[in-house]
Amino acid sequence: MNKKRIVVAMSGGVDSTTVAALLKKEGHEVIGITMQILDYGDAEGGCCSLDQVVDARRGADQIGIPHYVVNFTEEFENLVLTDYVEKYRSGKTPIPCVLCNQHVKFDLLMKRALELGAEYLATGHYARIEKGNGNALTLKRACDESKDQTYFLYTLTQKELGRLMFPLGALTKDEVRELAREMNLRQADKPDSTGVCFVPTGNYRDFLVSRGAFTEREGEIINTEGVVLGSHKGVFSFTLGQRRGLGIATGRPMYVTEIEPDTNRVIVGEEDKIYGTKLLAENLTWINSTYIAGRLENKVKVKAKIRYRHSASDAFVTINKETGALVEFENPQRAITPGQAVVFYDEDEVLGGGWIKEVLKS
């Protein structure tokens, strides 16, 4: 076996700890690194908390590898949190995990790994990296579809893929936990972290208010005919497709169909009003940049996902320029949401993706 120096991004959970243990067992020189991306006082109970750092260090000690903590709090603030706040301010719904992966984990942390002389950065993501045609690398869905995380990884390019390892991509979550038990890892039965790491309570509204990003401002809730149905205390409290917590009584279910930050209005309608078939995407990234060669202005058939838990659906993508695309679904999709990502697949291979800029009327 060719022994390699590998940095493992350790979060303190079972996945990354198992990755480190497996690589060490295979005979590689393994170094554990944990990112500090928030002030510990602001991350109580979340996966960015001091408890998680302690768990990561204990896991590294048990495995017998060195462990370091790198402070990326300023970079995380500028690259992820600022965008998170601005998206809500503009009536969009952000997805910070994509930006964190793109700018923090697979850029800043990758650079730190290379500075340590590592050949690879390994993480506990459920995804697969394989060789495709020629020398190109491909990103593929995890074998455990229920844990697949490729939706959050579409910004990876050939440069990053050549330095990354996803050792869990061919395993199920149950298999990972069983391996952890076999190696007597203390994290074997540790519950998974859920939700946005810097909003451990799940109440993003309170998080935004606590940062001074928003103040309560009363506005109207109207239906699609313009009839006022009630009031709200801030448009940032709503997302497209939302049904619960609207604070209105109409005798039938109503859903958020549009958010207007400029007028401070929330528009609601019946369920059929939240379906759409067309969107504009911006800031596209392609896993293999040669993919778009010869495809400009042509319709390309793909499977597309508009959110993490969304089932990929048949769609046509027209790439009108290298940074933009029109996406047309064969069947209406529920609550296409600006600020989220749209990710393109060919079977189990990730082609790329972009940010949903606008939903077009059919």
Side-chain angles (χ1 to χ4, degrees):
M1 184 206 71
N2 183 18
K3 179 179 178 180
K4 301 177 179 65
R5 175 177 288 185
I6 303 171
V7 164
V8 177
M10 299 185 69
S11 65
V14 62
D15 294 328
S16 58
T17 306
T18 301
V19 166
L22 287 173
L23 293 174
K24 174 68 182 301
K25 188 176 181 180
E26 291 175 2
H28 298 295
E29 180 185 356
V30 180
I31 301 169
I33 290 185
T34 300
M35 301 185 302
Q36 180 187 351
I37 56 176
L38 293 175
D39 182 279
Y40 291 134
D42 296 332
E44 184 177 354
C47 70
C48 307
S49 68
L50 181 59
D51 288 343
Q52 300 292 64
V53 176
V54 171
D55 277 352
R57 175 151 293 170
R58 286 174 176 170
D61 289 344
Q62 183 182 4
I63 297 166
I65 61 172
H67 177 263
Y68 304 97
V69 178
V70 291
N71 190 327
F72 291 147
T73 54
E74 182 177 349
E75 293 88 346
F76 188 79
E77 173 75 31
N78 294 333
L79 297 170
V80 181
L81 290 185
T82 297
D83 177 86
Y84 185 79
V85 171
E86 288 305 313
K87 285 267 184 12
Y88 274 116
R89 199 187 302 279
S90 63
K92 298 179 179 180
T93 303
I95 178 168
C97 296
V98 173
L99 288 180
C100 183
N101 282 330
Q102 180 181 10
H103 296 303
V104 183
K105 191 167 291 180
F106 299 133
D107 184 9
L108 297 174
L109 186 59
M110 176 73 78
K111 289 175 181 176
R112 192 62 58 90
L114 297 178
E115 289 171 359
L116 290 172
E119 298 173 65
Y120 292 96
L121 170 65
T123 75
H125 283 97
Y126 285 81
R128 294 178 292 150
I129 299 172
E130 296 182 1
K131 286 190 176 180
N133 296 328
N135 295 320
L137 295 170
T138 62
L139 177 66
K140 293 191 173 182
R141 298 178 194 265
C143 291
D144 185 346
E145 291 191 10
S146 68
K147 299 301 294 183
D148 175 64
Q149 293 173 296
T150 52
Y151 177 82
F152 301 111
L153 302 173
Y154 79 87
T155 61
L156 292 173
T157 65
Q158 295 294 302
K159 178 182 176 182
E160 291 86 31
L161 289 178
R163 293 287 189 178
L164 279 172
M165 298 177 72
F166 299 140
L168 306 185
L171 302 173
T172 67
K173 185 72 178 196
D174 289 342
E175 289 171 335
V176 171
R177 290 198 182 277
E178 185 57 35
L179 283 171
R181 294 186 192 104
E182 290 175 1
M183 293 184 287
N184 296 314
L185 298 179
R186 59 185 298 126
Q187 287 88 350
D189 296 304
K190 182 177 179 179
D192 291 339
S193 297
T194 59
V196 178
C197 69
F198 51 85
V199 191
T201 65
N203 192 328
Y204 71 90
R205 182 183 181 279
D206 286 350
F207 171 80
L208 293 169
V209 171
S210 72
R211 286 175 56 85
F214 295 90
T215 55
E216 293 186 347
R217 178 185 167 205
E218 189 166 308
E220 295 177 336
I221 298 176
I222 66 172
N223 65 17
T224 52
E225 287 73 43
V227 177
V228 177
L229 303 177
S231 64
H232 63 79
K233 294 184 179 180
V235 294
F236 61 92
S237 299
F238 300 87
T239 58
L240 293 186
Q242 178 179 334
R243 174 186 172 186
R244 298 184 178 181
L246 301 183
I248 57 175
T250 62
R252 59 189 185 277
M254 300 294 280
Y255 302 79
V256 175
T257 64
E258 195 171 348
I259 298 170
E260 295 183 346
D262 292 339
T263 62
N264 197 34
R265 295 191 306 181
V266 175
I267 302 171
V268 299
E270 296 189 36
E271 188 172 14
D272 65 303
K273 301 295 185 182
I274 64 174
Y275 283 83
T277 59
K278 298 179 183 179
L279 66 87
L280 290 179
E282 61 183 350
N283 298 326
L284 268 65
T285 303
W286 301 100
I287 301 291
N288 186 347
S289 60
T290 61
Y291 177 81
I292 63 170
R295 292 179 170 86
L296 295 179
E297 306 303 337
N298 294 326
K299 285 189 176 183
V300 180
K301 189 167 186 178
V302 301
K303 293 278 190 178
K305 291 183 68 168
I306 56 172
R307 63 180 62 85
Y308 174 45
R309 292 300 183 187
H310 176 252
S311 296
S313 300
D314 290 327
F316 287 95
V317 180
T318 305
I319 308 164
N320 49 43
K321 54 183 178 178
E322 291 192 11
T323 56
L326 168 66
V327 182
E328 301 170 274
F329 288 92
E330 289 191 352
N331 297 303
Q333 304 298 303
R334 189 181 192 278
I336 302 173
T337 306
Q340 296 284 290
V342 56
V343 181
F344 310 127
Y345 294 82
D346 180 2
E347 300 298 336
D348 63 348
E349 179 182 347
V350 184
L351 300 174
W355 295 102
I356 299 174
K357 177 183 179 181
E358 182 182 353
V359 182
L360 301 180
K361 302 296 183 182
S362 299

